[in-house]
Amino acid sequence: MKDNRLIIIYDGHCVLCTRTVARLMKLRTNSVIESIPLQDERTIKLIPNGYGQDQLNKEIHVIDMSNGHIVRGADAVVYVMTRLPSFRLVSVMYRIPGMKWLASHIYRWIAKHRYELFGKTDECDSGHCRIK
């Protein structure tokens, strides 16, 4: 049986990230979407060799389990949007010339400053993100 899940690997210390993923998980989708904080031990089993913690900390990662493809940053956000009927139109706007460049630059700036802008949580430090 083919695994058609999308797995979102996000920063479990980031307030913006955790709230966004929590809201996303409540939306109707055309795919099975799972989310795992990068601080969770399951992340190590999902990512290929060569990925370091620093790389995972820089941006969100989405793994398409049907083909093993990994999408990062703004591209990952749009990749997930294509699976959400309520956001499909927004994902189409990404094809407008210059939008991908602009979205990537805005995403990287927000990701770099996410703790200053939105705060930091200790959920993962408390063991909330870990497998029991």
Side-chain angles (χ1 to χ4, degrees):
M1 187 167 149
K2 192 171 183 177
D3 188 347
N4 290 321
R5 294 176 297 154
L6 292 183
I7 299 179
I8 301 171
I9 299 175
Y10 68 98
D11 182 357
H13 290 300
C14 167
V15 171
L16 172 66
C17 307
T18 55
R19 288 183 181 167
T20 301
V21 168
R23 286 187 187 118
L24 171 70
M25 300 309 288
K26 294 177 182 176
L27 297 175
R28 185 174 60 89
T29 69
N30 294 333
S31 300
V32 175
I33 299 177
E34 294 180 20
S35 60
I36 302 173
L38 66 92
Q39 294 83 3
D40 192 299
E41 60 193 34
R42 293 175 290 174
T43 301
I44 296 168
K45 296 172 186 165
L46 291 169
I47 58 170
N49 289 333
Y51 265 79
Q53 194 72 18
D54 287 342
Q55 189 174 7
L56 289 171
N57 271 323
K58 286 182 184 175
E59 55 195 351
I60 191 171
H61 288 67
V62 173
I63 304 171
D64 186 332
M65 298 301 286
S66 69
N67 58 20
H69 186 69
I70 298 176
V71 190
R72 304 181 322 223
D75 290 341
V77 173
V78 174
Y79 197 78
V80 172
M81 284 181 174
T82 64
R83 304 308 202 291
L84 303 168
S86 57
F87 283 92
R88 192 161 288 133
L89 181 60
V90 176
S91 70
V92 171
M93 291 174 49
Y94 199 59
R95 296 183 196 145
I96 296 171
M99 286 301 289
K100 183 174 181 173
W101 178 88
L102 181 63
S104 293
H105 279 74
I106 291 170
Y107 178 92
R108 281 194 297 263
W109 187 86
I110 291 172
K112 184 176 182 179
H113 299 94
R114 65 189 180 268
Y115 298 140
E116 297 93 46
L117 294 170
F118 302 100
K120 191 172 182 179
T121 178
D122 63 353
E123 282 186 16
C124 285
D125 289 339
S126 69
H128 177 74
C129 298
R130 309 260 187 294
I131 298 174
K132 301 281 188 253

